[in-house]
Every structure is written in structure tokens, then in C-alpha cells.
Amino acid sequence: MLYAEVIVDITSEALDRPFSYIIPEEMEKEIAVGASLRVPFGTREVRGFCIGISDRCEMDPGKMKTVSAVVTDEETAEARLVALAVWMSRTYGGVLTKSLRVVLPTKKKMNPLMIRRAFLTDREAAKNYREKLTKRQKKRADVIDSLLLEDGQLVSRLVAEYGVTLPIIRGLEKDGVISVLASEKVRRAGEFSGRAGEPVILTPEQAKAVSDIRREWREKKRPVLLSGITGSGKTLVYMELIADALREGKQAIVLIPEIALTAQTVRRFVERFGMRVSFLHSRLSEGEKYDQMKAARRGDLSIMVGPRSALFTPFRNLGLIVIDEEHEETYRSELVPRYHARETAVERAVIEGANVLMGSATPSLTASYRVETGEYAGVSLGQRYGEAILPETVIVDMRKEAMAGRRSIFSEILRDRIRECVDRGEQCMLFLNRRGYAGFVSCRACGHVVKCPHCDVSLTRHKNGRLICHYCGYEMPDMNTCPECGSSHFGGLTLGTEQVEEMVHAEFPGIRTLRMDYDTTRGKEGHTKILADFGAGSADVLIGTQMIVKGHDFPNVTLVGVLMADLSLNADDYRSAERTYQLVTQAVGRAGRGKKRGCAVIQTFAPDHYAVRSAANQAYAPFYREEIAYRRILHYPPVGTMMAVLGSCENEKLLSTGMTYLKKFIARIDPGNALMAIGPAPQSVGKVRDRYRQVIYLRHERMDYLILARDKILEYIEINSGFEKIRVEFDMNV
Ligand code: ADP
Ligand code: ZN
Ligand code: ZN
């Protein structure tokens, strides 16, 4: 006898454990891991997923229930996704149902979007009918006239054009003059159309990259990291390999960071692959997403492009997963399960027998390290396509500027360069790693900082006279004097994009600016419009946060100013140097994408830091060497694995006590201190929405050791009533 372990599809964490059911003999062949089943549960019958099959069972078979049916309508493609969810929950923690909900996002069937068209049942009969209509029945006559001219029009169009009402349409239908046929419309990500076009001719370097990757996959099937500066043609290489997969009758998933999913990207893919490609993005409705997934499952699509959730597209025969801008932070989910799309893609590829190709101009330390250890294969592109040449870079030591008594946010050299650039009729981008007007507000007399009462972050001053919390949205009126000591030496400290914009206007009268940050892009098409306006030349200077440094191609931009290159170096995170390197490299890469040579001016208080230096020289290798040595010494990922144990609670004292107990418990299960536990300490933001947050970091060479520790911690928490009010989550970093 065979038994199925079944996860019952009910929204309750208490039910997050498999139940065993007897598999009736006639279903034995049909049921596999991932199969969707109907099973008796309590007094009802519910849907469930099979997550394991065995021929043994600890329970008394006489008391066990039997699987009622196998649901065969749409489970086949999902089977492997369920297996992936099991892996995700095992690797990243969190209950299995949460992982299942991520990989099978829209379980509830959405109503299909129906479109209805009106057809004449018989032209001659319709003409006769029309003759007999009275003057008062003009609307009916209009509809028939219109259909005589063009049969099969959309009912909605008839309604809109002739002001007819639905009862009139129904009346005509009842009289047998017309018939209305409904058909299902596939909701699509935006309206675009296209025919598959001709592939471009690759440069010798690009062609070699393609053939190297093909050879790798014929022989070893390792994931491939394609590193190449922006503009070197990585996207074209992806397309060649996607075309390979399609030729074999397989499908491909292309992950890109949401911010890079512009009309430009969409157009390129549609031009190459026609309507076999579709796009997912976060602004799609549930219905639209459901339709996309259904179309993919049915086989109507071959390529799905989108942010990390596109990874779970239920293709039947997945051949390739591409991850563009592999280093991006957005590939890491901040919700449980805290999965990383790169790692999860590699696992999905193993399950599906597919290949993985990831690309970046600034590869993550993790991916580069995997190439070094041979887990991934590395392929690179060294040249930019066409005549575009790398920009000149200038590092400005802002400490010297300050010593010389210059207080402006623009160094002398940057000011000169901006003026020259604008005088030549070219464009400039100013990049600042901050948002808001004047950053946080503090008192220069007593040091008091105005913080959000619900979150442990300082409020940000906005021009509209409000102080705003960027974590929970809390707002309060701005103030001129310190609420603590009454001093009037009270105001903004650091720099925001709004302030930069004002300073640009003060410094360069008449200059035209556009600003792109959290506040100006909140609207639906916010950033698309700003970028389009800038591309069309409606401003001389684009000022923005990290959003402006990603992937946009503006041939007329010949100057990039990085105002505070080292802001991200101060973040208390082992990845801060990596992040600084990536941001500065990308910012520099924005200059001179056209035929003119560009220039990047990098202003910094840490001009000798290897992250700043390497980025200025666009030299990855020296950066990697320094950074990996540092990670190695401290056993940080990717050399070791790190797991954050995240605790949160409304009661600060209770949280401290609980986390301290956890730390002691960890010491008990790990007497040799192999786990290198650090903490508990407040998380980088110590309170959000009135919940206090603390963290314990555990590091170990091997992930399975940390998973084991996590299981023991979970058991401990479960049997200890002291943890009832404390939420404990885990974040696995590799
Ligand atoms: P990446 O993805 O590395 O940033 P892209 O694939 O976007 O690079 O290429 C940058 C630009 O150069 C694109 O406009 C692309 O069409 C063009 N390009 C690159 N290689 C070729 C080629 N072999 N033939 C024609 N155009 C090319
Ligand atoms: Zn004060
Ligand atoms: Zn807040």
C-alpha cells in the first residue's frame, strides 16, 4: 500500500504539516509529488498537494482516510513547482504553505475577462427586419446598419458609439436578428504587438560568448555567469540562447529588476520573439497575472519576462532561466520565505533539467565566488558595442574641499564640468544616495533628532512643511525650534534630492532640471515619464537617487556627478562595500553612452577606499580580491553562510529577555561555538510600526549546519510559552 503526504490547502499556519492519506490502487500511477488532490478533511473535502509518497506509515491504516480524487486540470506544470516550494521552505525557513503560496500565487480562479461580439444571423433577414422598424426604433436601426457595414463588432463599441443600451441588444438577440458570441480575452501586460524579427549579427566577442556557453551546457550544465560592462551586448547573448531553447520546443524565463522593465526592454524582446513573449510586473492586477500564468501553462507563451515572481511561471518544459542584473538586491525577497531568486532559480533549473544564465556588469560577490570555486562557469564580454568609449573618471576628495573652506555640495571641478556640459548642449546626471528634502532634522545645540514615534528611524523633512516617516508613512508638521531645548539652531542635516535641485538652480540660473526619487515617482507611470522627458531633452540635468543609475540609455548624457559616493559605505552591513562599488560603477557607466566621451566626477570623503577606487577605474578584479579576502577572514557570505535570527515584539523588555534566552540556548546546542553567534542587538531599524526588532547573527561554513540549528531553535520556541508574543523569523544569506 502507498501513502501520500498531503499538505492541505487551507490558510492556517497550524495546519502546516502534512497529513497522511491512503492512495487507492487505481490512483497509484497518477499521484506524484506535486500532484493536486482532493482529500477528506474534517467534515469537508478540500484540495491539497502531495509533497511525498511512501510505502510506510506510522499510523494505523484502519483509521486513515483515503485520497478522493486526483485533480488533473492544471496540476502537471505545478508538480515541479511544489517540489521547489518544499526546497524553499527547507532552505529559507518559514512554513511550507507560505512557500506554496509564493510558487502558486493565484490559486483562486479568477473570472476570465470576456469580450462579446454581435453578429447578424442572416443579412437578408436583417435588412427586412430593419425595413419594418418604426421611427422610434432608431437605435435598433443604427445597430443593424452598423453591423451590415461591419459584422462582428464588439458590443461595447456599439454601446459607446450609438448610445444603445444593453436591453436593445438583448431585444435584437431575442428577435433572432443578431447573435452575441462571447469569447475569452487574454489579459496582457500592456498593449503591444509585434512580429518576430531578424536576429542581429553578433560581434566576434559576443559570438564567442554564445558558443562558449553552448559548449558549457553540452558538457556540464553548470549555471553560467556572464559578466560584461553595460552596453557590451549581454542582452543579445541572452536572446541567442533563448532562441536555442525555443528551437528545442522549450520555454524560457527572463528575470529582470522591476526598474529595468521599461518600454525599451519590452520592445526589444517583442521585436525579436513576437507575441510568444509576455511580461509580468508589479502593477498588473491579479486577473492579469492569472491570465499570464494560464497562457504560459497552456503553452500559448514561450518567454516570460518579469521581476523575481516570474521565476514561478508554470511552463511545461522549461529550458532556460536568465537572470539579468544578477547582483540586484530586489532578487532577495523580504517576505517569508526570504528566498533569493538566483539561488532558487538554480534549484528550479535542477528540478526541471533547465539551464541558468546570469548576467551583470557588477557581479555579486556570491556569483563571482561560485565561478572561482567552479560551481558556476564564467564567461565575459570586455568591450562596449560600437564607438562608445569608457568615460574619464575624476575622484574628488571632499575633505580637502572642506579644509579649503568650500561649503558647497559641488566641488569646484564638478561645478565647472556642469557648466561646460550644459554650454555644449549636452546633458548631465547628478546622483545622490538619499531621498527627501533635507534628510533628517536635528538640533545643532543639543543633538536631538526628531524620530518617528512608531519606528526607530528619523523623520524626513519634505518641502510641503511636513516631517514624514518613510517606513510607516507617519506625518507631522515641521518645526523651527528644537522640541527638546528650544534652540533655533534646528534643521536639516544631510542632503536630499530636493535640496540638490534647489542648489543647482541657485548655482546655475536658468538651468532646466528634472528630479527622480521616491516622491516624484509615486504615481503609476511616474518614473517612465520622467525618463522619457529627460530622454527627449526637456531638461539639462536629471537629479536622482539610485533609480537613475540603472540601465537607462541616454546618448546625450556626457557628465555624471556622484555627490556622496561613500554614503552607502557607512551602512552597518557586511555588504556595504559591495553596494557602494555597484552603485558607483553603474553611475559612472551612465556617462558617455553615445559617440561623445563622457566624464564622471565622484565626490567622496573616502577617496582611498578600494570600493570607490575600483569603481572609478571600472576594474572589478581588484575590488573582488580585496572584498573576498575580508569576507574570508570574517566568515561572511559567500565564503561562509550567515543566518539572521530576527525577533520582533511589541514589548521591548520581553523581546530582550527572549532573545537573550535564545542566545543561551544556541550556546547549549553549540558548545564549541562553531556557530559564531553575535548579538542579540537591535536590527538596523530597531522598531517598525511599534514592534521592536532584534537580531542574532549565526555564521558557519555550511548551510546545512545552520538549517539544523534553525530546526532546534524552532522546537525550543514552540515549547516555551515565553515566546508566544515574540515573532521569530530567519534570513538565510549565502
Ligand atoms: P547589455 O545588455 O550588455 O547592456 P545590450 O545587449 O543592451 O547590452 O547592447 C547595448 C546596445 O548595443 C543595444 O542598443 C544593442 O542593440 C547594441 N548592440 C550590441 N551588440 C550589437 C550587435 N552585435 N549588433 C547591433 N547592435 C548591437
Ligand atoms: Zn535642542
Ligand atoms: Zn514610522
Side-chain angles (χ1 to χ4, degrees), residues 553-596:
D553 226 336
F554 298 113
N556 199 33
V557 170
T558 55
L559 176 65
V560 169
V562 184
L563 295 180
M564 288 278 222
D566 40 5
L567 267 185
S568 40
L569 278 176
N570 301 324
D572 62 341
D573 180 336
Y574 71 91
R575 285 174 302 209
S576 56
E578 182 176 1
R579 208 161 292 150
T580 301
Y581 174 81
Q582 288 164 353
L583 285 173
V584 176
T585 307
Q586 286 163 0
V588 170
R590 294 298 101 210
R593 298 298 303 269
K595 293 195 165 63
K596 301 164 213 155

Side-chain angles (χ1 to χ4, degrees), residues 253-267:
I253 292 170
V254 182
L255 301 184
I256 58 181
E258 173 98 30
I259 195 100
L261 185 49
T262 57
Q264 214 177 333
T265 327
V266 172
R267 201 175 321 113

Side-chain angles (χ1 to χ4, degrees), residues 628-699:
I628 204 76
Y630 155 77
R631 307 264 179 113
R632 192 168 271 132
I633 291 168
L634 296 174
H635 291 271
Y636 276 130
V639 183
T641 312
M642 183 162 90
M643 183 171 73
V645 184
L646 306 162
S648 71
C649 179
E650 283 178 6
N651 182 328
E652 190 174 11
K653 243 186 120 202
L654 193 64
L655 178 64
S656 290
T657 315
M659 294 300 277
T660 308
Y661 270 98
L662 263 192
K663 177 80 178 288
K664 285 187 187 143
F665 172 75
I666 292 163
R668 273 213 303 285
I669 59 170
D670 174 40
N673 195 24
L675 280 174
M676 292 182 283
I678 295 179
Q683 293 181 33
S684 57
V685 176
K687 185 172 84 168
V688 170
R689 292 177 203 273
D690 290 321
R691 288 185 77 87
Y692 293 87
R693 314 199 302 173
Q694 291 194 4
V695 60
I696 299 173
Y697 288 108
L698 303 179
R699 278 172 293 160

Side-chain angles (χ1 to χ4, degrees), residues 452 454-455 469 471-474:
C452 173
H454 307 289
C455 311
C469 170
Y471 276 78
C472 75
Y474 172 85

Side-chain angles (χ1 to χ4, degrees), residues 200-203 206 229-236 268 385:
V200 295
I201 296 159
L202 298 182
T203 64
Q206 291 163 350
I229 52 172
T230 328
S232 56
K234 293 186 294 296
T235 311
L236 289 175
R268 282 182 80 179
Y385 179 75

Side-chain angles (χ1 to χ4, degrees), residues 137-345:
Q137 292 174 303
K138 182 168 179 309
K139 295 261 155 102
R140 291 192 179 211
D142 284 346
V143 170
I144 293 169
D145 286 344
S146 180
L147 288 176
L148 281 168
L149 279 175
E150 187 192 339
D151 206 4
Q153 291 182 54
L154 290 177
V155 171
S156 58
R157 179 167 147 202
L158 294 170
V159 169
E161 222 149 276
Y162 302 102
V164 298
T165 56
L166 286 175
I168 290 178
I169 301 283
R170 251 176 250 132
L172 286 168
E173 211 179 350
K174 219 166 107 220
D175 290 347
V177 191
I178 66 169
S179 46
V180 174
L181 298 181
S183 62
E184 196 181 317
K185 180 175 191 285
V186 173
R187 282 170 271 227
R188 277 196 158 267
E191 285 305 317
F192 51 82
S193 62
R195 246 175 339 113
E198 288 299 308
V200 295
I201 296 159
L202 298 182
T203 64
E205 190 188 48
Q206 291 163 350
K208 181 170 185 313
V210 170
S211 65
D212 285 353
I213 296 170
R214 283 186 183 134
R215 179 157 30 79
E216 168 65 33
W217 288 342
R218 268 197 310 271
E219 289 166 8
K220 293 217 191 82
K221 281 190 92 68
R222 283 182 299 184
V224 171
L225 170 65
L226 176 63
S227 46
I229 52 172
T230 328
S232 56
K234 293 186 294 296
T235 311
L236 289 175
V237 173
Y238 304 155
M239 286 179 172
E240 287 307 308
L241 294 151
I242 292 169
D244 285 356
L246 300 199
R247 265 194 296 276
E248 289 170 27
K250 295 183 176 178
Q251 299 90 37
I253 292 170
V254 182
L255 301 184
I256 58 181
E258 173 98 30
I259 195 100
L261 185 49
T262 57
Q264 214 177 333
T265 327
V266 172
R267 201 175 321 113
R268 282 182 80 179
F269 275 90
V270 173
E271 272 168 13
R272 176 75 192 262
F273 296 107
M275 297 307 280
R276 304 289 300 164
V277 42
S278 188
F279 295 81
L280 281 185
H281 55 77
S282 61
R283 288 188 302 271
L284 290 187
S285 69
E286 283 303 304
E288 286 166 332
K289 278 189 190 141
Y290 181 80
D291 282 0
Q292 307 287 309
M293 292 303 189
K294 193 161 136 193
R297 190 185 294 124
R298 260 202 317 249
D300 294 346
L301 298 173
S302 306
I303 303 168
M304 182 63 86
V305 184
R308 63 170 189 257
S309 60
L311 176 57
F312 307 110
T313 306
F315 282 131
R316 279 161 204 259
N317 192 5
L318 184 63
L320 175 63
I321 304 172
V322 172
I323 309 170
D324 190 27
E325 311 279 357
E326 154 283 324
H327 61 276
E328 279 290 328
E329 277 301 299
T330 53
Y331 286 130
R332 195 185 294 279
S333 170
E334 284 176 351
L335 303 172
V336 176
R338 296 173 201 274
Y339 68 96
H340 196 295
R342 179 186 54 231
E343 310 297 311
T344 310

Side-chain angles (χ1 to χ4, degrees), residues 443 445-448 482 484-487 490:
C443 172
C446 77
H448 176 73
C482 173
E484 281 295 305
C485 74
S487 162
F490 187 76

